[in-house]
Amino acid sequence: MAFDPSEPGRHRPPGGDPEALARLDPGAAAAPDRLPLAYVLPLPADSDTGGSGLTGYLRELSRWVDVIVVDGSPPERFARHAAAWRGLVRHVPPDPALRGRNPTVLGVLTGVALARHEHVVIADDDVRYDLAGLRAVHGLLERVDLVRPQNHVDPLPWRAWRDTGGTLLRRAVGGDSPGTLAVRRSTFLAMGGYDPDVLAENLELVRTVRAYGGATATPAWLYVRRLPPTAARRARRAYDESARPGWRLAALAVLPAAAAVLAARRPGLLVRAGAATVAVAELGRRRAGGARIFPAHTTLAAPLWLVARGAGAWLAVGRRLRGRGRAGDSGQAANSTRALRRRLAERRPDDLVLWVETGVPPAPVRAERLPR
């Protein structure tokens, strides 16, 4: 498990010890089926829940935890959801006082403010937790401020199979970008939530917790199932990568490097590079028992994923140069950790809580009110 204490002198929950985290066994204690845990599911207006089995999942989930669905759907679909989910979940619209470009973040801000428990799971509508996964998250949040589980897609159509190759590469070099996070509500409120104008909302929340000085955990052994992603979900992962300059430069380098090798008439180098990529993906697959979760053939998808990401990176550059980015691409992918630290330092904690709970943006702090 990766343990990331950021600015440890500023904030750390009790028991935030890396060795204690590594020893944590999610199945060691027999917890009651009903957990003191809130589950926030933000549904943006363009979410299509038809055929996803979401109602059945919510029915099962509501036996274990308190579920809050923040539904930004148009009125007709909202009414259908309300009828289907009555008695199962708290079904509410986003707080109208909140403003921002990213509707998912507005849903999260609304849901966390309504949560009755300290431990809160935030998940997209294609995420499928089981009880063991929820227990593990609950245990980890006793020791850290934020948890990043590991998603795996099941079933595996072609696009999901290819994208799993990228998941394995990311596992080998640190950690994946999941469609779910878990956070301590007190930390979330104290830091004022996170920027509702960015596109890569999960990455932004992780960076904000770290900038605040919170401790995060990336347990590679905590596997949470996810349904095959839609085109919109794949675009959101691309936003995550665009907020990481190193990943973007690596993606842009793939096609020129391949062209240079072919121009030098040394195709054997491409074969060896592909084999090395597969080997790195296999390391990611075997990490923390992943061989039980990811089929062996998914490592073969890693070179294809690299080529696809390289092509996508250059297409994005071309769209920007022509001024023809996709709708919604005009926003910032994510703030840097340095910018977030500066922003947090410029606001009083009581202002930050007020912003989350009521949606009223706090006034900037005057220079004379800042700590010397």
Side-chain angles (χ1 to χ4, degrees):
M1 177 195 309
F3 181 83
D4 309 311
S6 181
E7 296 188 18
R10 180 171 177 182
H11 173 74
R12 180 183 290 185
D17 175 14
E19 294 183 3
L21 283 171
R23 292 192 299 267
L24 182 65
D25 179 0
D33 282 352
R34 190 75 184 174
L35 296 171
L37 191 71
Y39 189 106
V40 173
L41 195 163
L43 278 182
D46 58 355
S47 289
D48 182 9
T49 59
S52 67
L54 183 58
T55 298
Y57 174 61
L58 292 176
R59 183 175 293 111
E60 183 177 32
L61 196 62
S62 64
R63 293 166 40 213
W64 305 328
V65 295
D66 291 343
V67 183
I68 305 167
V69 178
V70 184
D71 191 352
S73 300
E76 183 177 345
R77 191 188 307 159
F78 185 96
R80 288 201 307 269
H81 290 165
W85 302 336
R86 185 172 292 113
L88 297 179
V89 304
R90 276 192 285 171
H91 178 237
V92 298
D95 184 345
L98 296 172
R99 296 289 183 271
R101 295 181 182 179
N102 191 322
T104 298
V105 178
L106 300 181
V108 172
L109 292 172
T110 301
V112 174
L114 291 174
R116 301 188 182 107
H117 297 292
E118 167 69 352
H119 296 175
V120 181
V121 171
I122 300 165
D124 291 337
D125 60 290
D126 58 354
V127 171
R128 297 293 182 265
Y129 274 89
D130 57 17
L131 180 56
L134 293 169
R135 285 177 176 170
V137 165
H138 177 55
L140 286 164
L141 285 175
E142 294 289 347
R143 295 159 169 81
V144 298
D145 297 278
L146 180 139
V147 178
R148 294 168 55 201
Q150 170 65 65
N151 279 144
H152 68 97
V153 179
D154 182 28
L156 274 177
W158 184 83
R159 284 186 180 274
W161 175 80
R162 186 195 66 187
D163 291 347
T164 298
T167 294
L168 299 180
L169 292 176
R170 284 187 288 265
R171 276 174 61 82
V173 298
D176 194 20
S177 302
T180 177
L181 299 170
V183 68
R184 294 168 65 94
R185 183 176 184 269
S186 58
T187 301
F188 188 96
L189 295 179
M191 71 187 192
Y194 58 126
D195 192 341
D197 288 326
V198 298
L199 302 172
E201 67 272 0
N202 284 351
L203 176 62
E204 180 75 7
L205 179 51
V206 172
R207 286 182 175 177
T208 305
V209 168
R210 289 175 176 169
Y212 176 70
T216 70
T218 307
W221 48 264
L222 179 50
Y223 298 102
V224 178
R225 179 174 169 249
R226 198 174 189 184
L227 301 180
T230 62
R233 299 292 187 207
R234 289 192 295 272
R236 283 167 63 181
R237 172 161 283 183
Y239 294 146
D240 275 15
E241 292 173 3
S242 68
R244 295 182 171 100
W247 282 93
R248 169 165 279 190
L249 289 174
L252 290 171
V254 170
L255 294 187
V261 169
L262 291 175
R265 297 182 180 180
R266 300 183 65 184
L269 285 178
L270 286 182
V271 174
R272 287 194 288 273
T277 301
V278 170
V280 173
E282 180 63 17
L283 291 176
R285 189 180 81 90
R286 296 189 181 189
R287 183 183 176 197
R292 296 181 293 103
I293 304 297
F294 301 101
H297 56 76
T298 54
T299 60
L300 301 177
L304 297 177
W305 178 83
L306 274 182
V307 172
R309 292 307 310 141
W314 281 106
L315 287 173
V317 169
R319 283 195 299 267
R320 282 188 174 276
L321 291 176
R322 295 193 302 270
R324 295 168 59 185
R326 292 190 302 271
D329 281 4
S330 56
Q332 183 178 2
N335 291 293
S336 68
T337 302
R338 178 180 298 179
L340 290 169
R341 286 190 181 123
R342 185 169 58 249
R343 180 177 298 181
L344 288 168
E346 291 173 354
R347 298 188 187 279
R348 297 196 317 263
D350 56 334
D351 284 338
L352 295 171
V353 174
L354 179 69
W355 178 72
V356 172
E357 291 183 341
T358 70
V360 178
V365 176
R366 293 177 172 273
E368 60 266 22
R369 287 166 54 190
L370 294 176
R372 299 294 182 185

